[in-house]
């Protein structure tokens, strides 16, 4: 019997792996046998995640503190991963932020920070992982977590810097797929819709937002825990090697209407 999504012996770096979707995806990969490098800024939280992964799934997991906007910290994280595991097979660029305000009130600092974290930070990690690990080994799976907001606008909550940065991630994904496909590296993006996370719960639970969501999401609900996991496993699989440069919305149909 062929195990299409077996990741035993693989190593994955997951950024933004202290809470929410990052932790869920890391555990999904670990469930398939993948070793995990949990990356975020809060050491105590990623230590907890790494320990949970080791105990629950019996794989190796380490925690490395890193601010993805700091180029030297990114380089150190990749070097430490290679020192510990010897290779990097999968990168999930999940770390991000979100500024919400009417476009006319967004400050220069808010816009610059959004692009620096969501777009430039993702590029920095992809660049370093490709250069030091994936290009030399002629293999890699890079999964950028963009957003359905990288594909469309919205009418409920002004977040123009987020739309711009995630739109950049979408086309960065295409650009890197085009450049690195010859090395056996695939670069794809997942574009999540509205999912509950510690950052979104308060907003999503307001009556006005729930009413809006019901009117614009064909599935008429938010994404639930675990519903992003299979997309990550699919794109991380050896058997998805001919899937390259795609944007995979996981949004209950928001972007189809």
């Amino acid at each position: 019997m062929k195990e299409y999504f077996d990741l035993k012996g693989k190593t994955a770096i997951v950024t933004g792996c202290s809470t929410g979707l990052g932790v869920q995806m890391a555990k999904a990969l670990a469930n398939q046998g993948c070793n995990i490098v949990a990356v975020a800024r809060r050491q105590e939280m990623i230590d907890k995640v790494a320990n949970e992964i080791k105990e629950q799934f019996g794989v190796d997991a380490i925690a490395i503190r890193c601010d993805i906007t700091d180029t030297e910290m990114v380089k150190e994280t990749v070097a430490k991963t290679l020192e510990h595991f010897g290779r990097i097979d999968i990168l999930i660029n999940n770390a991000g932020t979100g500024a919400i305000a009417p476009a006319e009130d967004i400050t220069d600092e808010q816009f610059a920070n959004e692009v620096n974290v969501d777009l430039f930070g993702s590029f920095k990690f992809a660049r370093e992982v490709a250069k030091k690990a994936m290009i030399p080994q002629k293999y890699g799976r890079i999964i950028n977590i963009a957003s359905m907001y990288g594909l469309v606008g919205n009418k409920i909550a002004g977040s123009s810097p987020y739309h711009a940065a995630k739109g950049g991630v979408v086309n960065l994904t295409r650009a890197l797929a085009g450049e690195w496909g010859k090395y056996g590296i695939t670069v794809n993006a997942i574009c999540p819709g509205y999912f509950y996370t510690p950052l979104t719960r308060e907003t999503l639970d307001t009556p006005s937002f729930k009413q809006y969501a019901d009117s614009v999401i064909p599935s008429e609900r938010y994404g639930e825990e675990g519903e992003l996991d299979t997309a990550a496993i699919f794109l991380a699989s050896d058997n998805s090697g001919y899937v390259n440069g795609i944007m995979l919305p996981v949004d209950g149909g928001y972007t189809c209407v």
Side-chain angles (χ1 to χ4, degrees):
M1 181 179 294
K2 188 171 183 177
E3 296 186 14
Y4 286 95
F5 303 109
D6 179 21
L7 298 175
K8 291 184 184 70
K10 304 291 188 187
T11 296
I13 293 177
V14 182
T15 70
C17 197
S18 57
T19 61
L21 299 178
V23 175
Q24 292 172 31
M25 289 186 288
K27 289 185 174 182
L29 297 186
N31 186 69
Q32 302 306 115
C34 190
N35 299 317
I36 300 295
V37 181
V39 172
R41 292 177 297 175
R42 292 172 286 184
Q43 187 71 53
E44 70 282 358
M45 297 188 74
I46 51 175
D47 283 340
K48 181 174 180 288
V49 170
N51 288 332
E52 286 178 357
I53 287 172
K54 285 190 284 190
E55 290 172 8
Q56 288 180 306
F57 305 103
V59 299
D60 195 2
I62 61 174
I64 302 177
R65 181 182 176 276
C66 180
D67 179 343
I68 67 168
T69 67
D70 186 319
T71 302
E72 290 308 311
M73 291 186 79
V74 170
K75 289 181 176 181
E76 288 170 10
T77 299
V78 170
K80 288 176 182 176
T81 301
L82 289 172
E83 183 180 351
H84 187 89
F85 289 108
R87 60 185 292 120
I88 301 167
D89 302 285
I90 301 157
L91 167 66
I92 298 186
N93 268 321
N94 172 68
T97 185
I100 297 177
E104 63 272 21
D105 296 326
I106 289 287
T107 67
D108 290 356
E109 290 75 19
Q110 284 176 309
F111 199 99
N113 182 64
E114 194 82 44
V115 172
N116 198 29
V117 175
D118 289 3
L119 178 55
F120 201 6
S122 294
F123 174 73
K124 287 179 179 182
F125 245 106
R127 176 180 63 189
E128 190 67 13
V129 165
K131 187 172 185 177
K132 295 297 171 61
M134 292 181 176
I135 291 174
Q137 70 199 19
K138 299 292 190 290
Y139 178 91
R141 300 284 183 267
I142 297 175
I143 304 168
N144 294 322
I145 307 304
S147 169
M148 66 182 187
Y149 279 7
L151 303 171
V152 295
N154 90 91
K155 293 179 68 175
I156 186 67
S159 46
S160 54
Y162 186 77
H163 283 271
K166 291 300 189 180
V169 171
V170 163
N171 223 33
L172 175 66
T173 297
R174 296 187 181 107
L176 298 182
E179 283 197 48
W180 293 342
K182 63 186 177 185
Y183 299 117
I185 300 169
T186 64
V187 188
N188 296 291
I190 299 174
C191 299
Y194 298 127
F195 277 80
Y196 279 122
T197 72
L199 293 176
T200 64
R201 182 169 296 278
E202 185 177 347
T203 300
L204 296 185
D205 277 342
T206 60
S208 61
F209 209 102
K210 284 185 173 181
Q211 183 179 6
Y212 168 77
D214 284 346
S215 70
V216 296
I217 302 172
S219 295
E220 295 188 353
R221 65 175 178 85
Y222 302 135
E224 297 175 357
E225 184 172 338
E227 290 189 314
L228 208 61
D229 296 354
T230 49
I233 293 169
F234 163 62
L235 293 175
S237 168
D238 273 350
N239 294 293
S240 299
Y242 208 52
V243 180
N244 196 18
I246 71 159
M247 311 305 131
L248 177 57
V250 184
D251 62 3
Y254 183 104
T255 53
C256 79
V257 295

